[in-house]
């Protein structure tokens, strides 16, 4: 195992002090299911929970996407961290002093080398664009534009804003001089291949540039606003080995301290809104990057926040996006409030028109509950000046109110509707009661849209049956499951089977287990998984560890015999190939010798 300079005692303490169900529970809504906890996977979109946490073994595994491991692996995958970075973060959360070096004497993998080159290229590009904005004549119109939008020198410096010149080869030539391969820079999203002919050109041209960082402050992408007429007006970096739009939140690294302290995040639609809100004193603001809010975004935020304030644009599109985001955020376990910005303004326009204090007071502190927002949003779909429009609105509004859990909240909301529309409160209460009764006793069509309901989803089972693995593969998994729980069991398997596993990953896990116990370690699935340092092996080990079959010596012997027979069958197939080759080569004597060996192997197989 190579974890850089991290002491094993620190890793063990991190695993011991971080209960996996608590760490995962900050991100995933978990429901107890026997020995397991289940929920919707944060790593891929699903409607039926296939994500499982096993507190007894301190591991997680998703049957849908295959991800799995211990608490360190969960944080690594959730926040795109390296092993040392994840251990460091978890250690800091429990007050362990971080006194080790993350450096490693081991040669970095090709993937690590590629990632480091791409990060360095982004760092250089960010500095180049920033320098061009602050120091060159061609960037003057861009600087004038920023000034007109209220960007001060302090804001430009704080956010590292830059400018990409209108030329096609400014960055291309600069990166070439620095020794970066153009094809690799295309992969990074910094350059584009020419549409005609050979070569590459700058991806961003004549644009104000906003660097995008990951959750640790590392530059991974850029967003550019075009200075002239043309399309697209806003352009983001494409998906790359560094940048995933569905997981990246603009300004998260800088916002994390305030989000952690207040347990609240303000979610904006764009990076300019985040910047202007930051200048207004809102330092817990983040934004999605050119995509709608995703489950992955919500899962990232859940590690730091309990409440989300949605501060989207006040126009129809912004309010529709907020309305769509509410069930997603509530399904992830957030308390949600929504800013209602008047006159179809966006946050940037509101701050410019009314000032920072009014924005904080009216739009952030004055954000309304989700039910209030839904009622406001619902009004836009009805013509309230007409009687039919008022009736339809009231019926739909009562349905929304009826679905609220709190009787007090229902009472207050129905009173407001009663006073506004001159309808008896008793009539509205009766209709609300009928809605609640209907939906409680109704069928699938009555389940409110957006409801996050594990029990309901679990009943929607597929009619397809999973394909069973061959008997010898199942036997190998069973042996490995027991080996992870018992050093003596591992010793028996090592003596009788060694590395004679048919599945390559199983053979690798067995070898790791032999070495793990040889070092005097006690059985501990979570600790063992830290020795693997391989995504595929960690996932395989966590899936196998979910097995709870009690040890049975006769079953163990059956497993060993099954694997032994499969090994002999595999050897027989290899010998048959050799025999056919000898026959085709005109060597009947050698073919006869091999046939004798095949007969002997078959006899041994039948005696197993």
């Amino acid at each position: 195992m190579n974890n850089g300079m991290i002491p094993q005692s620190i890793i063990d303490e991190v695993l011991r002090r971080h209960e996996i169900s608590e760490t995962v529970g900050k991100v995933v809504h978990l429901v107890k299911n026997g020995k397991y906890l289940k929920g919707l996977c944060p790593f891929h979109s699903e409607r039926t929970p296939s994500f499982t946490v096993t507190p007894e073994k301190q591991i997680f595994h998703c049957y849908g996407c295959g991800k799995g491991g211990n608490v360190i692996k969960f944080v690594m995958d959730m926040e795109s961290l390296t092993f040392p970075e994840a251990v460091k973060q978890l250690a800091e959360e429990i007050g362990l002093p971080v006194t080790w070096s993350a450096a490693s004497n081991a040669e970095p993998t090709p993937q690590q080398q590629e990632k480091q080159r791409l990060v360095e290229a982004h760092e250089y590009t960010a500095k180049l664009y920033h320098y061009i904005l602050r120091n060159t004549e061609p960037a003057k119109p861009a600087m004038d534009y920023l000034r007109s939008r209220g960007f001060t020198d302090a804001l430009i410096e704080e956010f590292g804003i830059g400018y990409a010149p209108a030329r096609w080869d400014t960055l291309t030539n600069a990166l070439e001089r620095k020794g970066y391969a153009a094809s690799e820079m295309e992969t990074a999203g910094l350059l584009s291949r020419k549409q005609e002919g050979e070569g590459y050109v700058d991806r961003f041209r004549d644009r104000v540039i906003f660097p995008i960082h990951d959750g640790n402050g590392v530059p991974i992408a850029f967003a550019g606003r075009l200075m002239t007429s043309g399309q697209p007006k806003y352009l983001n970096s494409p998906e790359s080995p560094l940048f995933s739009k569905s997981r990246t939140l603009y300004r998260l690294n800088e916002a994390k301290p305030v989000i952690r302290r207040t347990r609240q995040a303000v979610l904006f639609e764009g990076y300019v809104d985040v910047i202007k809100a930051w200048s207004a004193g809102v330092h817990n603001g983040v934004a999605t990057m050119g995509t709608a809010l995703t489950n992955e975004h919500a899962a990232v935020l859940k590690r730091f926040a309990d409440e989300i304030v949605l501060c989207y644009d006040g126009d129809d599109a912004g309010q529709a996006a907020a309305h769509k985001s509410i069930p997603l955020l509530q399904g992830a376990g957030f308390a949600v409030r929504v800013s209602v910005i008047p006159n179809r303004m966006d946050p940037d326009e509101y701050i410019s028109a009314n000032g920072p204090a009014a924005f904080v007071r009216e739009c952030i502190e004055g954000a309304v509950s989700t039910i209030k927002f839904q009622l406001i949003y619902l009004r836009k779909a009805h013509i309230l000046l007409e009687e039919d429009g008022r009736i339809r609105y009231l019926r739909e509004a009562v349905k929304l109110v009826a679905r609220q859990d709190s009787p007090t909240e229902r009472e207050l909301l129905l009173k407001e509707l009663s006073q506004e529309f001159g309808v008896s409160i008793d009539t509205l209460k009766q209709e609300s009661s009928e809605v609640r009764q209907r939906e409680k006793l109704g069928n699938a069509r009555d389940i409110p849209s957006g409801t996050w309901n594990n029990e309901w989803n679990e009943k929607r089972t597929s009619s397809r049956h999973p394909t069973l693995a061959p008997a010898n593969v199942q036997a190998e998994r069973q042996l490995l499951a027991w080996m992870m729980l018992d050093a003596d069991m591992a010793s028996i398997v090592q003596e009788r089977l060694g590395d004679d596993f048919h599945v390559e990953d199983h053979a690798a896990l067995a070898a790791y287990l032999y070495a793990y116990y040889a070092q005097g370690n006690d059985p501990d699935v979570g600790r063992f998984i830290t020795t693997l340092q391989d995504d595929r092996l960690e996932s395989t080990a966590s899936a196998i560890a979910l097995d709870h079959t009690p040890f049975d010596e006769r079953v163990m012997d059956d497993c060993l015999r099954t694997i032994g027979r499969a090994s002999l069958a595999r050897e027989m197939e290899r010998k048959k190939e050799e025999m056919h080759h000898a026959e085709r080569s005109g060597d009947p004597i050698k073919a006869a010798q091999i046939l004798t060996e095949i007969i002997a192997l078959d006899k041994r197989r039948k005696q197993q």
Side-chain angles (χ1 to χ4, degrees), residues 76-306:
M76 288 172 64
D77 287 343
M78 200 68 253
E79 301 190 32
S80 300
L81 302 179
T82 63
F83 184 89
E85 289 169 344
V87 173
K88 178 176 180 289
Q89 178 172 302
L90 290 167
E92 288 175 341
E93 287 180 9
I94 57 175
L96 276 181
V98 180
T99 58
W100 68 85
S101 166
S104 169
N105 295 324
E107 194 69 26
T109 66
Q111 292 82 2
Q112 290 171 330
Q113 291 175 337
E114 179 194 24
K115 182 177 180 181
Q116 186 57 36
R117 283 194 303 272
L118 299 188
V119 167
E120 290 171 356
H122 278 80
E123 289 174 339
Y124 171 74
T125 301
K127 290 176 182 177
L128 176 65
Y129 284 153
H130 184 63
Y131 176 86
I132 290 172
L133 175 68
R134 299 307 303 268
N135 298 280
T136 68
E137 186 64 26
K140 189 175 183 304
M143 185 64 84
D144 291 341
Y145 164 78
L146 290 169
R147 294 270 190 257
S148 71
R149 294 291 301 271
F151 285 78
T152 63
D153 286 344
L155 278 181
I156 290 170
E157 289 297 324
E158 171 69 28
F159 289 84
I161 300 170
Y163 173 69
R167 291 182 48 167
W168 292 74
D169 59 359
T170 302
L171 183 61
T172 303
N173 293 336
L175 290 172
E176 184 180 357
R177 288 193 297 270
K178 295 290 287 185
Y180 293 107
S183 58
E184 195 169 36
M185 295 301 96
E186 181 193 20
T187 301
L190 298 175
L191 304 182
S192 300
R193 190 181 295 272
K194 287 182 178 178
Q195 293 183 351
E196 297 180 3
E198 299 294 324
Y200 298 85
V201 296
D202 295 4
R203 177 176 177 82
F204 297 99
R205 301 182 300 277
D206 196 22
R207 292 179 182 272
V208 174
I209 297 296
F210 300 85
I212 300 168
H213 300 78
D214 67 11
N216 296 297
V218 176
I220 58 172
F222 295 95
R225 199 271 189 193
L226 190 63
M227 291 304 304
T228 55
S229 60
Q231 293 296 327
K233 186 176 181 181
Y234 295 96
L235 179 68
N236 289 339
S237 294
E239 297 274 320
S240 76
L242 297 180
F243 179 49
S244 171
K245 293 179 184 179
S246 65
R247 292 174 57 84
T248 302
L249 289 160
Y250 181 69
R251 200 66 177 175
L252 176 62
N253 181 62
E254 293 76 13
K256 271 194 296 189
V258 179
I259 294 175
R260 276 196 174 112
R261 188 175 71 249
T262 62
R263 301 303 298 175
Q264 180 199 75
V266 181
L267 189 58
F268 296 95
E269 284 189 277
Y271 41 85
V272 172
D273 292 332
V274 172
I275 296 171
K276 294 300 288 290
W278 191 92
S279 71
V282 180
H283 293 176
N284 56 338
V286 297
T288 54
M289 293 306 311
T291 182
L293 185 70
T294 66
N295 289 320
E296 290 83 357
H297 289 135
V300 170
L301 284 172
K302 198 67 180 73
R303 276 196 64 81
F304 316 110
D306 299 316

Side-chain angles (χ1 to χ4, degrees), residues 462-520:
S462 170
S463 60
R464 294 175 296 174
H465 296 287
T467 303
L468 288 176
N472 64 299
V473 174
Q474 294 184 61
E476 289 178 3
R477 292 175 68 89
Q478 184 61 75
L479 291 179
L480 287 167
W482 286 334
M483 290 164 67
M484 281 191 265
L485 299 177
D486 191 325
D488 291 337
M489 178 69 195
S491 180
I492 293 170
V493 174
Q494 184 175 15
E495 181 181 340
R496 295 178 58 178
L497 198 61
D499 62 354
D500 197 15
F501 285 78
H502 294 237
V503 178
E504 183 181 346
D505 286 356
H506 294 175
L509 286 175
Y512 273 108
L513 279 165
Y514 300 153
Y516 178 79
Y517 289 126
Q519 294 168 5

Side-chain angles (χ1 to χ4, degrees), residues 373-391:
F373 171 76
Q374 288 169 325
L375 290 171
I376 294 169
Y377 184 78
L378 182 61
R379 297 174 78 95
K380 298 178 181 180
H382 300 279
I383 303 174
L384 300 185
L385 293 176
E386 299 176 358
E387 186 176 353
D388 285 348
R390 290 196 297 275
I391 291 172

Side-chain angles (χ1 to χ4, degrees), residues 49-98:
S50 60
F51 183 86
T52 303
V53 173
T54 311
E56 178 186 354
K57 297 177 182 177
Q58 289 297 292
I59 58 172
F60 74 93
H61 182 77
C62 177
Y63 289 99
C65 66
K67 284 189 179 291
N70 56 19
V71 69
I72 298 173
K73 178 62 176 171
F74 180 81
V75 174
M76 288 172 64
D77 287 343
M78 200 68 253
E79 301 190 32
S80 300
L81 302 179
T82 63
F83 184 89
E85 289 169 344
V87 173
K88 178 176 180 289
Q89 178 172 302
L90 290 167
E92 288 175 341
E93 287 180 9
I94 57 175
L96 276 181
V98 180

